[in-house]
Amino acid sequence: MFAYHLVDEVAEAFLDVIDALTVPLIVVLHTVLLAPSANQRRILEHLLAASDVVVTMTKTARDRLVSTYDADPNRLVVIPHGAIDHAATPTTRAASARPLVLTWGLL
């Protein structure tokens, strides 16, 4: 939904929408830059301040948010990449079982 490389006008409009939210905000970060530009840092710090929960894919990204961006560790959650490999313990799903959906980002 949001990328660091957005032009300033688009980034400002996006942040204005974030600021106008009246519901909890959960941000999922796929990339946490170690050496951001000044504008990238400003945008991410704005998102961190506005977010109720921030999800990262790795502990490294979580640690970067704390050390580089001074994020509140209590609002950070790590949900690792990938899915659990159930091949070792195959299961049978009943025909009446709810659908199973698997999604992923860039491959």
Side-chain angles (χ1 to χ4, degrees):
M1 178 166 118
F2 180 74
Y4 285 120
H5 62 274
L6 292 176
V7 294
D8 287 341
E9 300 82 31
V10 174
E12 290 308 315
F14 179 81
L15 294 177
D16 289 344
V17 170
I18 295 294
D19 291 340
L21 292 176
T22 59
V23 296
L25 174 63
I26 299 172
V27 172
V28 179
L29 298 175
H30 292 260
T31 302
V32 177
L33 300 175
L34 188 57
S37 70
N39 196 45
Q40 291 167 334
R41 173 182 291 279
R42 181 185 65 79
I43 291 167
L44 185 50
E45 286 176 345
H46 192 121
L47 285 172
L48 291 171
S51 300
D52 294 280
V53 175
V54 177
V55 178
T56 66
M57 308 292 165
T58 65
K59 183 180 179 312
T60 299
R62 180 191 183 283
D63 293 345
R64 282 183 185 171
L65 289 174
V66 172
S67 65
T68 304
Y69 299 91
D70 199 30
D72 178 356
N74 295 318
R75 293 183 10 211
L76 305 177
V77 176
V78 176
I79 300 177
H81 287 286
I84 298 170
D85 181 4
H86 293 286
T89 56
T91 59
T92 304
R93 291 177 41 88
S96 63
R98 292 177 60 181
L100 178 64
V101 178
L102 175 65
T103 65
W104 59 88
L106 296 174
L107 295 176

